[in-house]
Amino acid sequence: MNTLIVGCGYLGTALGEELARRGHTVWGMRRSADGDAVLTGAGIRPVHADVTRPGWSGVLPEPVHWVVYCAAPASGDPAGYAAVYGAGVRRVVEELLGHPVRRAVYTSSTGVYAEARGGWVTEESATAAFEEKGQWLLAAERTWLEAAQSAAWRPVVLRVSGMYGAGRGYYIRRFFEGPGLGPEEADRWINQVHRDDVVTAVICALEHAEPGAVYNVTDDEPVQLGRLFAWLEERTGRPAPAGGAPGEVRRRPGSGNKRVSNARIKTELGWRPRYPTFREGYEAELIRLKRTRPVPSDEHT
């Protein structure tokens, strides 16, 4: 199977490596040759193109059968969102109409849900675009799913919660480097998933998902930030960094305050996370951090 990964970075490289290990021919698309050695070492064949520009599919040496769009903007400005989630997604749909694409997965975000009071959400829950990034994410989902009307694709959307792993993670970095939790943050619910589990979720969707399906990809146990930091204090023997002043709330853009259910992807596709809760995943990261220093947060929400 020829697979194209558009945006071969933090997630895409790990996905491509696993697909190559399973015998697939994998093309990893990036704008420049930076990082080609990493892709090649993972068994991925680099291709260079700007997905937002017409004619980019001409660089592909062979037809592709599976497509995964996991590109992320290089910066958090509105122009970056518009390029990646707007023009980029539209160009992929247009350019690949001439290819025998059988399955196509777009990685979105659980940040699209409207819930902000700690309630549970499923794939049927209301969505709302409170920020510009959310608006572009929802527009990209619609573009992707509408591709089924003009092509023989089996488009799928995966709404991924906050990724961590392989030395990355926003909240574990905050625990070690600060800033600490503000008073209003301790009770806020967050949702996370290990990068390796996102890889297996994408493969499950490519192999088994029905056209037009939407799935949440998150671990089995949402956690309140206060409990997460308390667990890290107990496991590391070090106090959490000092928090902010009353009324000061630090929040990742689009993070909300909700508990995301993964029941659908587990029931329909048989997906099971290797790291079912933050405990297993963070334990692995703490072992890694004994040898290295924490690195900046991931690019997903």
Side-chain angles (χ1 to χ4, degrees), residues 75 119 176 180 297:
S75 63
F176 282 101
S297 62

Side-chain angles (χ1 to χ4, degrees), residues 191-211:
N191 305 272
Q192 302 178 97
V193 63
H194 197 283
R195 184 190 67 172
D196 293 351
D197 288 327
V198 182
V199 167
T200 58
V202 172
I203 295 174
C204 275
L206 287 168
E207 292 178 339
H208 305 298
E210 291 298 316

Side-chain angles (χ1 to χ4, degrees), residues 49-50 53-59 91 95:
D50 183 345
R53 297 183 178 276
W56 64 261
S57 61
V59 305
R91 289 294 183 195
E95 295 279 336

Side-chain angles (χ1 to χ4, degrees), residues 4-7 11 51-52 56 67-72 83-90 92 104-108 140 144:
L4 172 66
I5 300 175
V6 180
L11 171 61
V51 72
T52 67
W56 64 261
V67 177
V68 180
Y69 192 101
C70 53
V84 171
Y85 302 126
V89 173
R90 290 194 301 271
V92 166
V105 170
Y106 167 67
T107 57
S108 184
W144 198 256

